[in-house]
Amino acid sequence: MTLLNIAATHVGTEALGPGVRSVVWVQGCPFHCSGCIAPDWIPDRPARRAEPAALAEELLADPRVTGLTLSGGEPMQQAAGLAELVRQARAIRDVSVVCFTGHRLEGLRARPPAPGVQDLLAQVDVLIDGRYVAALDDGRGLRGSSNQRVHHLTGRPATRDYDFEGRSRTAEIAVDGPGALLIGVPPPGLLDVFDTAVDSVLAGSWPRSGLRGAGTSSHVPRKEDPS
Ligand code: SF4
């Protein structure tokens, strides 16, 4: 059985694709984009180990969920497990699948970086590819910068009719006990507000060890990254 190594999950968001979705952020990424908002999820280290079938049930427990968004970290590093996750999810409900990757689609097809890449690509409805480039961040859409491309790999109406590139960005903040998770591609200024709020919490009564930190979809900027 292929186990997934998961940085975070969230059930029920409208900030990362059409409809109500569940999100999986995998742990580990071979890229080090300047300005990555999720630097804690770049190291290839053990996080939450999840079995695909059980995770699929968890992600679809909310009957409103009609889609999955795969992000990270780098999803293609765990393509085999994610492909199985999608298969298990679609055995429960016919969900749409949106996947972010720092790779280019042509490279994934010509030189798959991990087992299961072709299997995963065959199940993804929309692939958003390419590394984040801060200078090309135009503040719009679900891609973090304009060099990233949106590939509609299927004709699924739910994803085909959604404006991934031009829509105004939205984001949600999920608070789970002392943890806070920023979900979505933040519109300009929101990350500053979120970081200020987190700093306020850290300066207050909550222990730092209890704070899960700022997590969001991959390929979006983090202003305080010095690189
Ligand atoms: S922006 Fe995406 S591809 Fe780049 S380092 Fe962060 S998680 Fe990896």
Side-chain angles (χ1 to χ4, degrees):
M1 179 196 307
T2 302
L3 291 179
L4 287 157
N5 189 28
I6 301 300
T9 61
H10 183 76
V11 176
T13 177
E14 298 182 31
L16 280 171
V20 178
R21 314 185 69 78
S22 287
V23 190
V24 176
W25 293 274
V26 299
Q27 179 73 43
C29 178
F31 304 110
H32 294 267
C33 305
S34 175
C36 172
I37 195 174
D40 290 349
W41 299 347
I42 291 176
D44 187 10
R45 65 182 178 216
R48 174 190 170 192
R49 298 288 185 182
E51 193 272 314
L55 184 59
E57 287 190 16
E58 175 185 319
L59 296 171
L60 270 61
D62 184 337
R64 299 174 305 148
V65 171
T66 58
L68 298 181
T69 296
L70 312 176
S71 188
E74 172 50 58
M76 293 301 158
Q77 296 288 99
Q78 301 187 49
L82 290 175
E84 182 60 19
L85 171 68
V86 173
R87 242 188 309 277
Q88 295 289 342
R90 283 181 171 159
I92 300 171
R93 199 176 304 146
D94 186 25
V95 291
S96 67
V97 176
V98 174
C99 182
F100 290 85
T101 178
H103 295 277
R104 285 300 195 187
L105 176 59
E106 296 84 352
L108 289 172
R109 286 178 167 154
R111 297 173 300 281
V117 167
Q118 303 291 12
D119 189 9
L120 179 58
L121 286 177
Q123 300 184 73
V124 167
D125 294 298
V126 174
L127 185 79
I128 301 176
D129 78 352
R131 295 177 60 174
Y132 172 71
V133 178
L136 298 178
D137 184 355
D138 59 7
R140 301 196 66 78
L142 257 66
R143 78 284 187 278
S145 52
S146 61
N147 61 301
Q148 294 173 317
R149 302 172 303 177
V150 178
H151 302 275
H152 291 268
L153 302 180
T154 70
R156 183 184 287 267
T159 50
R160 183 191 62 203
D161 299 336
Y162 185 87
D163 183 5
F164 285 87
E165 295 173 279
R167 67 182 294 108
S168 298
R169 292 179 181 173
T170 59
E172 300 166 6
I173 295 173
V175 177
D176 178 13
L181 191 67
L182 183 61
I183 304 159
V185 184
L190 181 63
L191 200 57
D192 291 345
V193 173
F194 181 76
D195 286 342
T196 299
V198 169
D199 289 345
S200 298
V201 169
L202 291 175
S205 57
W206 285 351
R208 186 181 185 93
S209 61
L211 195 74
R212 192 165 59 202
T216 186
S217 68
S218 63
H219 323 291
V220 293
R222 183 179 180 85
K223 108 177 169 16
E224 66 268 35
D225 189 302
S227 55

